[in-house]
Amino acid sequence: MINEIKMSVLPQMNELWQKTLNWQPDESQQQLFQRLYELIVEGNRSLNLTRITEPMEFWEKHLWDSLRGIARLLPANHNSAENPEVAAESVQKVIDIGTGGGFPGLPIAIALPQLSVTLLDSTRKKIDFLETVLPSLGIENAATLLGRADEIARGPQHKQAYDLAVLRAVGAAPLCAKSALPLLKNGGLAVLYRGNWTVEEETELQRAIEHLGGKVESVEAFTTPTSQGARHCVYLRKVVQQFERPVR
């Protein structure tokens, strides 16, 4: 058991963090990533949280991948000339739809402690697990929410209440858009984490979001830094309120 614990240490990868995201975790954040990894591996014994438990793979596919989708919000990047349209200081409330084991929401909450992150999932066991993880990590800027996105979007507390929505491994892109856009404020951004991405998928997505007041702002293609896997992030901008009617 002692050897197993010693082997279950995440690589720090500071140079690769810096090279790929122009950011790296400080010592406290690295410790939180390590503790999160340990809790996920432990939780996996009774819950089907993830198949990714090997340290390097966990770093790349859960930590790095989670933050790659919101790299434009990381401190050294949000004032970059490459992203002049990003007003990172206006992003305060984030919702992770279909968070599962807490990805990408928990790494985002750790990397950007000024944000308020809601971890939404419809599976009670996963929410119960996350409710034990948050105090174990001492994370105070994240909270859990049990339910479905389409249901909570009907309530005044959550409808058009978020600046940023993130969705990873949730379903087809049109479904992701329909889940996210009603929860976003005007001007809010949804990040769809995808593997491969085709012109046909983008066309289908464009059709699906026309009546939801959204538009595809950009699509970023990249490869993961150690396994060289193909990845895409699709960024949707909320441009009008849903069901907005003229005043008579």
Side-chain angles (χ1 to χ4, degrees):
M1 179 64 71
I2 293 176
N3 289 336
E4 181 181 342
I5 292 173
K6 285 184 178 179
M7 290 177 61
S8 299
V9 176
L10 289 174
Q12 292 200 8
M13 309 300 284
N14 284 341
E15 290 186 9
L16 204 48
W17 277 123
Q18 194 67 45
K19 180 180 178 181
T20 57
L21 298 186
N22 197 29
W23 174 89
Q24 58 181 276
D26 61 25
E27 184 177 348
S28 174
Q29 290 167 326
Q30 182 64 33
Q31 290 174 354
L32 287 174
F33 285 157
Q34 174 64 33
R35 181 60 180 148
L36 173 60
Y37 171 60
E38 293 168 358
L39 291 169
I40 292 291
V41 170
E42 183 180 343
N44 241 16
R45 296 172 182 170
S46 57
L47 294 169
N48 182 26
L49 297 171
T50 180
R51 292 173 293 177
I52 300 167
T53 57
E54 188 277 325
M56 180 65 79
E57 192 177 15
F58 187 94
W59 175 83
E60 179 186 64
K61 295 184 178 177
H62 279 327
L63 300 181
W64 183 89
D65 187 72
S66 291
L67 297 184
R68 175 59 180 81
I70 55 90
R72 57 176 72 184
L73 299 181
L74 294 171
N77 299 328
H78 61 70
N79 292 322
S80 168
E82 295 179 4
N83 295 311
E85 79 285 359
V86 178
E89 63 277 3
S90 69
V91 177
Q92 298 178 349
K93 294 185 66 176
V94 181
I95 185 164
D96 177 5
I97 300 173
T99 187
F103 303 102
L106 281 176
I108 291 172
I110 291 170
L112 295 166
Q114 75 275 19
L115 300 182
S116 173
V117 180
T118 297
L119 306 170
L120 171 68
D121 205 277
S122 60
T123 303
R124 164 66 73 178
K125 288 183 178 180
K126 292 179 179 178
I127 289 296
D128 287 345
F129 168 74
L130 292 174
E131 287 179 349
T132 68
V133 168
L134 292 177
S136 295
L137 295 175
I139 293 180
E140 298 181 352
N141 64 315
T144 61
L145 180 62
L146 176 66
R148 294 169 51 93
D150 58 340
E151 294 171 349
I152 70 160
R154 300 188 191 112
Q157 184 179 355
H158 299 286
K159 182 179 180 181
Q160 298 176 1
Y162 295 91
D163 305 297
L164 178 70
V166 291
L167 305 93
R168 198 177 80 141
V170 172
L175 175 63
C176 291
K178 290 175 183 177
S179 298
L181 289 171
L183 293 166
L184 290 174
K185 299 175 183 177
N186 278 357
L189 193 69
V191 185
L192 279 53
Y193 292 65
R194 316 300 297 176
N196 291 319
W197 185 248
T198 65
V199 173
E200 290 77 16
E201 284 178 298
E202 187 161 342
T203 300
E204 182 183 7
L205 177 60
Q206 291 277 19
R207 291 198 196 102
I209 64 176
E210 285 178 358
H211 70 288
L212 293 173
K215 67 175 182 178
V216 178
E217 183 170 86
S218 62
V219 179
E220 295 183 8
F222 55 93
T223 57
T224 55
T226 63
S227 64
Q228 303 301 307
R231 299 284 288 159
H232 294 77
C233 279
V234 181
Y235 296 89
L236 305 181
R237 183 70 66 181
K238 177 73 171 286
V239 292
V240 297
Q241 291 186 349
Q242 280 191 89
F243 312 122
E244 191 171 38
R245 296 179 180 178
V247 177
R248 295 182 182 278

